Amino acid sequence: MVTPAVKHTIVKKRTAHFKRHQSDRFMRVGESWRKPKGIDSRVRRRFGGTAPMPKIGYGSAKKTRHMLPNGFRKFSVSNVRELDLLLMHNRSYAAEIAHNVSSKNRIAIIARAAQLDVKVINAGGRLRSEE
C-alpha cells in the first residue's frame, strides 16, 4: 500500500461555510456567498455581530492546501497514459478516475496503477458486476 511521503497535520482555520447576507430571511436569496454591495450594508461595513465575510486570512497553509485527509493530493485521470505521469510522484499525488470513464477503461487504469504503485482514490467505482 502506498503511503504519502510526508504526512502534515491539516489545520483548517474555518470549516463553516460563509452564508449570504439575509439568506435566512428570504427564500429568493440563496445561501451561496455573494459580496454585499449596498451603501448602508452592515455586513460590508463589518459591524460587530454581523456575518463574517471571506478574507484572504482564512486561507489554508501552502503546505496543506488541496491536500486530502490521507495526505495525498488529487490528480484526475481519464486514461492509462495520464496515469504514467504519476510514476515519479506516487508518494505525493493520488489518482482519481474521472466520472466519464467507462468500466472497461477503469479496470485497465486500476491494473496499471497497481503496477506503478499509484494510489487510486475511487478504485471501487463501477467495478461490481450486476447481480
Side-chain angles (χ1 to χ4, degrees):
M1 196 66 193
V2 187
T3 55
V6 183
K7 187 107 192 287
H8 295 289
T9 53
I10 300 169
V11 177
K12 303 274 189 199
K13 293 181 190 168
R14 180 186 165 93
T15 54
H17 291 289
F18 290 99
K19 287 190 178 166
R20 187 175 176 181
H21 182 47
Q22 293 193 333
S23 64
D24 55 334
R25 294 188 65 201
F26 303 106
M27 288 295 288
R28 64 181 178 264
V29 179
E31 271 196 359
S32 62
W33 175 254
R34 298 289 186 277
K35 185 168 171 59
K37 303 249 170 66
I39 55 170
D40 296 329
S41 174
R42 298 155 60 219
V43 175
R44 181 189 60 80
R45 296 195 293 173
R46 299 195 200 128
F47 283 8
T50 58
M53 288 203 293
K55 292 189 222 129
I56 199 70
Y58 287 113
S60 302
K62 206 170 196 180
K63 270 188 215 167
T64 59
R65 196 172 298 153
H66 306 299
M67 195 172 274
L68 301 170
N70 62 6
F72 288 102
R73 288 184 167 85
K74 265 193 225 178
F75 182 78
S76 186
V77 169
S78 49
N79 56 45
V80 179
R81 273 179 316 179
E82 288 179 4
L83 191 67
D84 293 338
L85 295 171
L86 295 180
L87 176 64
M88 300 298 290
H89 306 285
N90 66 340
R91 301 285 305 278
S92 54
Y93 287 90
E96 181 187 47
I97 302 172
H99 78 282
N100 55 352
V101 177
S102 67
S103 55
K104 184 182 90 172
N105 289 342
R106 279 173 191 266
I107 294 167
I109 288 171
I110 291 166
R112 182 68 176 142
Q115 291 171 0
L116 297 175
D117 202 26
V118 172
K119 184 174 178 66
V120 180
I121 296 167
N122 54 351
R126 280 196 227 170
L127 284 184
R128 293 185 305 280
S129 59
E130 287 188 34
E131 295 165 2

